Amino acid sequence: MMAAHLKKRVYEEFSKTVVQQHPLEEVPAKKLRLTKPSKSAALHLDLCKATNSTDALQYLLHFARKPVEVESVEGVIRILLEHYYKKETDTSVRLKIASLLGLLSKTQGFTPDCIVDDAISTLNNEKSHQVLAQLLDTLLVIGTQLPDSVAITQRLIEVACKHLSDTYFGVRNKCLQLLGCLGTVDKPLTKDSDATTGLPGTPIRDVQSVISDYFADQDPRVRTAAIKAMLQLHDRGMKIQQTIYNQACKLLNDDYEQVRSAAVQMVWVLSQLYPESIVPIPSSNEEIRLVDDSFGKVSHMVSDGSWVVRVQAAKLLGSMLQVSPHFLEQTLDKKLMSDLRRKRTAHERAKELYASGEFSSGRRWADDAPKERVDTSGVNLIDSGACGAFVHGLEDEMYEVRIAAVEALCSLAQSSVSFATKCLDFLVDMFNDEIEEVRLQSIHALRQISTNITLREDQLDVVLAVLEDSSRDIREALHELLCYTNVSTKECIQLALLELLKNLTKYPSDRNSVWKCLRFLGVRHPTLVLPLVPELLSTHPYFDTPEPDMDDPAYIAVLVLVFNSAKACPTMSALFSDHTFRHYAYLQDSLSHLVPQLRLPGKKLISGLGSEVCGLVSGSVESARLFLQDSLARVSMLQSLEAPGAQDLLDFTIRDLQRLGELQTELAGSADFCATYLRCQLLLTKALQEKLWSMAVPLCLKQNAMASAAVKQILEETYKLEFLYSGLETRQVATIHHVRLQAKALQLVLTARTKRGVDPLISVCEKFIQEVESFQRLFMSELSHFQDSFVEKLLELMPRLVACKPLDLVKILHTTLRQSGFLHLKIPEQIHRASAIIIEPTGESDNPLRFTTGLVVALDIDATLEHVQDHQSTVKVEVLYPDGQAHIIHPKPGDFRHPGPGRVRLITQVYLSHSAWTEPCQLEVRLLLAYSSSTCKLSTPKPAWNESTEGLPQAESSIEGTIPLSKPVKVFIMPKLARR
Amino acid sequence: MPEIKVTPLGAGQDVGRNCILVSIGGKHIMLDCGMHMGYNDDRRFPDFSYITQNGRLTEFLDCVIISHFHLDHCGALPYMSEMVGYDGPIYMTHPTKAICPILLEDFRKITVDKRGETNFFTSQMIKDCMKKVVPINLHQTVQVDDELEIKAYYAGHVLGAAMVQIKVGAESVVYTGDYNMTPDRHLGAAWIDKCRPDILISESTYATTIRDSKRCRERDFLKKVHDAVERGGKVLIPVFALGRAQELCILLETFWERMNLKAPIYFSTGLTEKANHYYKLFITWTNQKIRKTFVQRNMFEFKHIKPFDRSYADNPGPMVVFATPGMLHAGQSLQIFKKWAGSEKNMVIMPGYCVQGTVGHKILNGQRKLELEGRATLEVKLQVEYMSFSAHADAKGIMQLIRMAEPRNILLVHGEAKKMEFLKDKIEQEFNVSCYMPANGETTTVETNPSVPVDISLNLLKREMAVGGPLPDPKKPRTLHGTLIMKDNSLRLVSPDQALKELGLSEHQLRFTCRVQLQDPHSDADTLTRIFTHLKSVLKAYAIQHLPDGTVMVESIVIKVSSTAEEPNVKVILLSWSYQDEELGSFLSTLLKKGLPAGL
């Protein structure tokens, strides 16, 4: 019966074209549908041909390489099942069929509910454990495809429970996985409890208790699977019962690392679910909070035998923020002992030395000599719980563990000030790690918690020692850290300044970073700097001292420190000598980002303009924001740009906005964005002006050229608007796309006017209509905001547009363009313009970079990027040779560093090469932002079946391009001929 | 009961002369064969006459295992193998095999050439001895003979140091040698799996010490060196050729690299150069960082550290010199010390322990005027610093290893008796296992309870599985009926029928019968029915049948009811069961003795 049905289906699908005639009257037209040669048919033939199992397996393997269309999936599955039922004795073929069933069920658009019955019935007849496991896997796939069908889920769970007692670990594994993925959240496991109560020995049990039974399975793999299933339940939002806790804790001592690893996670999950519940301490009458207990247990795992578990434990510790401070501080505790005498740790000694006023460390042997005798019964050698967890973690052999420990330390310290102070010494110690990554991570960690703490002088000393590190990343991270550091005494400031100046002489390229660092030091500690000023500026009460060299970076560094602290400390300027004021004026001009505006007595040395600017800057950001809103509101009064004076207003507003962006850096992004948008509108209006279009075609060549230039510019600007700014909402993106659509319409109209003949127009028109459709698709939700706009009118006319001739279309477009109103912009809350500055090369060098032709020379590039999204894939380096050749280089992902939030640093090398020149010449280097319109902010779904995308059409014809991101920098090079 | 015997010939409640005899499962193994640094007489070598008074040791020992190349672990090896006589296998790791002869040769030179001792082993003997060495790899299980197998684990401490697991059948012993649980700049931390040995023989040098984090020590060391060099001073670091020297070299090398320092670092030549060569070769034995970066650059190929020449000591400007020996008692380090002692700018850093009587010990104790030979005095103006870089596990480390291995007994060696006492108490208290600390020549006997493997017939197992549910519960023991056949040195568990068949015996049935008297007014048939319903309610999981011939069958147990005509109310219940159902049968008899419940 079934076979006959199958055969019929196969023959149906054999015929290549199916002419479907609908006798019903609603659909009068005949439709011709083309179908590809069906895969199922081919498979059926192949499997029929297969004489032995090896052949069949080969066919199946071959078959699995290509995707199957949605329509024929069911057919294919039927054929596979038939083969499975009837002929197959070989387990490997059955296994492959089972796996194919799973794979096919994943096909998009196919609902696998129809094959559930078959899959379950095959399961019941199957003898091979491997195939059973695979079939359960298939069921798992089916189950996940049909999350809403309660009945099917229930059946699958029953099947899983039935097979849980299988002797093969793989089957049990899959059953547990299935339970984990599908186990219902709210209901007890057995469907109708009335029916089951009658049977003895099968009490009603929920998924969790069923799974937790397998925590004690004899096979470690099954134990792992059981815990993972439980974690899966948790991920699906099921509340894990607290009873699991004890079982999970037992598993922490398992012999197998994968079990321990999963158990650590389980314990952690429970600690997050029931932090406050009370658990008893075994072998005593005391009770503690669950989160504390689990914290102790996870801490214990930091000294596990397997490093994978250690990493996991260390990571998880960082997220257990509810733990009591008492337990938290234990993690840093390590009682030292020597010959049974209590010994103080080096940290304690340093603190004491510091407190006693003597700084240099002891020079005697055994100055760490143990003092009091330890009561032997009181020494606990085995750490109970959390004791010393981080001490262990930070000393671990594997750097992965150390990094995890540093990260955990950092996140715990951020939530607890007292812990932050305690862990300071340990973090500072990590500055001396052998792996640079760990050193860097610990510097970053210290930076993140440094708002909570104040460094002591001896600690600062250790920190500053790292300034001599030869790695640039380390030094810059440290500068960054110093920017946020609080220090306690004026000696600290002096020490820091001294070390920074030393750093400056040793690594002159750190100039900017050092200056910036001193600026923040000055801002943070004005009162500490004040007593140092005479010494720093080497002024003398009676004698005039020689005027320092203004170009000396070290002197500038000192001045930056002084001026910045002078801002909060008005009395300081009294200590300045005359040349200091002059230097101030100079630096204020040349390094305005480092030197603040000061109110100097008498203002005698500051020009009038300076104070004016000063007043404006000191005005809050709020007033600037108000100004921005006012300007935009004024523009939004305009109904049409045709109105007299409207364009002038626009012109002024654009100018105002640009100026505002320059003055108020916080609003630069928004202001630029608005200005650019308005400019686009202005250009569009100008291009559409009445008199231009009323002229006869041959007369207006010049105007045409102007208009097409405007179109080109608008298109360019829209891409900039879309990709250069971050923080855009869908509404703004839609507005930008709308302008682009208008520009394209204008382009079409222009093409129609200049080109003779209709043929080239057809394709252009089709493309335009496609774009309108895709606009509608992408911004369906936003269409309500587009009232009375170009696109709304177009969409109204859409049925007409599709049908009409190209020339008519052009006419419609033209009128719509001119009639449509001016679409107002809503400024988004946070908007930032991506920007980049190339720090190196500086472009100042007069010495050409000489190299032999045919070989390459590496040019170091150092640039900072701000507000660039997805920088690893979008930022490129362009090298422009004087002969017009341009090379675009993709930096490696590892070349991007992250010194702080929102900022990215690109440090890379580009390779230059050229044929011989007679003279040295300059080439230009700049950064580009690559974009492609298909990857626009709204993502498109990816094809799911297998990995192949062959045969699928591209979603949209994508336009790729680049936007210059930074100013070009000139590099002097000289390729020479190789000497023979 | 089988037992394992451990007898230390050296290192029992003592440091030095490591040599431990282990007898396990009829095998005799010698662990380490070292010399004592403190003695120059017969006491320096272990007393091999303990094993046999005369003749060679070969027939008394199955193998010798050397944990690492330090002389207190391998110094007596040529003496034992060539002069006392041993021809069996000697196991050691590859680096130990490479470095050990260099140190032995050096030791021989000092004793014979310098001190002029005779009756000592010769160079040829060292070579012959090394020919008997079988190298082993980490985690490689080496089958010494059919029953004895050994396996090496990483121990840290020095290059090539290993812990060994010795296994005979189900019994096993782990010997740690010297080990270090905290990684350092060139070696990783010791690691062992949960092998649950019967005895863990652990060193206990630092039984009463818990050390500070190594990072503080490193930082202090680097800061001191850096400060002295910046002041333009010269730094002398007296070291022994192997072990700490390499660690300090790496530490300084990386620091110089990181900080871009230019002052020269020198390493006194000779032994150390050869040793560095081996460190370069055995990169897999070092720590994670060195292993990972050696493709770009082998960390032991020092960029900043150059060989030292005698004339450099007078060069102006700052420098750092590593010189041997470590306690400033002789040789190059003392010569350099004398030259530099006069300047306050200079510094000497003692990276380890100094024996009493050496110059090192004196200056560490603050002596500022030293008397030299020839009545000259030397004023010590340079700074003296002490930094402890030791590669032994501290008390915490030892506890950590015990936790990792989970042994059933612990035996401490290589430490001072008093300190061991403390650790012993702690171990017994924390782990609740017995801990021993035998003195030299004292034998510790540990009884073991090894599991005896028995072959079970597959049929029996399958039948058992079919009866008692699908999966065995690992947490609960389960009984099954079978017959144990001990034949030809093998143990087999088979079903009784098969055993009978194999042994050619006929089966005897054993049946128990029992009478129980009950007062019951009903008729016999009714009583039986009542018993039937009663049992049905009590024994739910059993098959209970009421047969038409007037009997009730519970599994294979027959129950009949009869009564005499005179006393119809006294029922005699006859129970009969086979030996196999003894348990159920006796349960039923006691149950029925209690009488039937009234409610029926």
Side-chain angles (χ1 to χ4, degrees), chain B residues 33 53 119 123 139 186 218 241 345 378 451 500 596:
Chain B
C33 188
Q53 287 294 338
N119 192 24
S123 297
H139 303 178
H186 71 312
E218 284 175 3
K345 277 203 287 187
L378 178 68
S451 40
L500 287 170
L596 295 173

Side-chain angles (χ1 to χ4, degrees), chain A residues 61-254:
Chain A
L61 284 172
H62 185 75
F63 172 77
R65 282 186 206 125
K66 294 233 177 81
V68 174
E69 317 77 51
V70 179
E71 309 91 62
S72 48
V73 166
E74 198 178 345
V76 171
I77 285 177
R78 293 277 159 234
I79 291 165
L80 286 173
L81 282 173
E82 185 203 18
H83 193 77
Y84 187 102
Y85 281 130
K86 290 230 170 133
K87 301 166 198 164
E88 207 38 70
T89 51
D90 189 79
T91 43
S92 53
V93 178
R94 290 210 303 276
L95 191 72
K96 186 67 202 166
I97 290 178
S99 91
L100 273 179
L101 288 182
L103 215 51
L104 285 167
S105 318
K106 275 191 217 160
T107 314
Q108 271 217 326
F110 172 72
T111 22
D113 48 357
C114 48
I115 61 167
V116 174
D117 289 327
D118 295 290
I120 291 177
S121 67
T122 50
L123 197 65
N124 292 333
N125 301 328
E126 184 55 58
K127 287 286 175 293
S128 157
H129 294 299
Q130 267 98 349
V131 182
L132 262 179
Q134 189 59 55
L135 280 170
L136 282 164
D137 191 55
T138 304
L139 285 181
L140 176 63
V141 172
I142 294 172
T144 40
Q145 295 289 108
L146 304 164
D148 303 325
S149 161
V150 180
I152 287 179
T153 311
Q154 280 298 345
R155 279 191 67 191
L156 292 181
I157 290 172
E158 272 163 40
V159 169
C161 287
K162 207 172 102 198
H163 287 274
L164 261 178
S165 51
D166 197 279
T167 50
Y168 180 63
F169 80 93
V171 177
R172 275 178 282 155
N173 266 1
K174 284 288 168 213
C175 289
L176 287 168
Q177 211 179 333
L178 214 130
L179 285 179
C181 291
L182 302 176
T184 39
V185 178
D186 36 3
K187 276 185 210 161
L189 191 65
T190 31
K191 193 168 47 182
D192 37 353
S193 49
D194 305 324
T196 47
T197 39
L199 296 170
T202 51
I204 316 158
R205 315 191 52 200
D206 62 325
V207 192
Q208 290 189 25
S209 73
V210 170
I211 292 177
S212 67
D213 279 354
Y214 286 82
F215 279 12
D217 195 274
Q218 57 176 354
D219 194 308
R221 290 165 288 197
V222 180
R223 293 199 290 272
T224 317
I227 307 175
K228 293 222 164 113
M230 198 63 96
L231 288 169
Q232 178 80 36
L233 286 182
H234 170 73
D235 285 347
R236 287 174 48 228
M238 195 174 209
K239 186 150 184 171
I240 307 292
Q241 288 147 16
Q242 203 193 326
T243 44
I244 308 287
Y245 182 67
N246 281 333
Q247 290 170 293
C249 287
K250 263 182 217 139
L251 287 176
L252 288 176
N253 292 322
D254 202 276

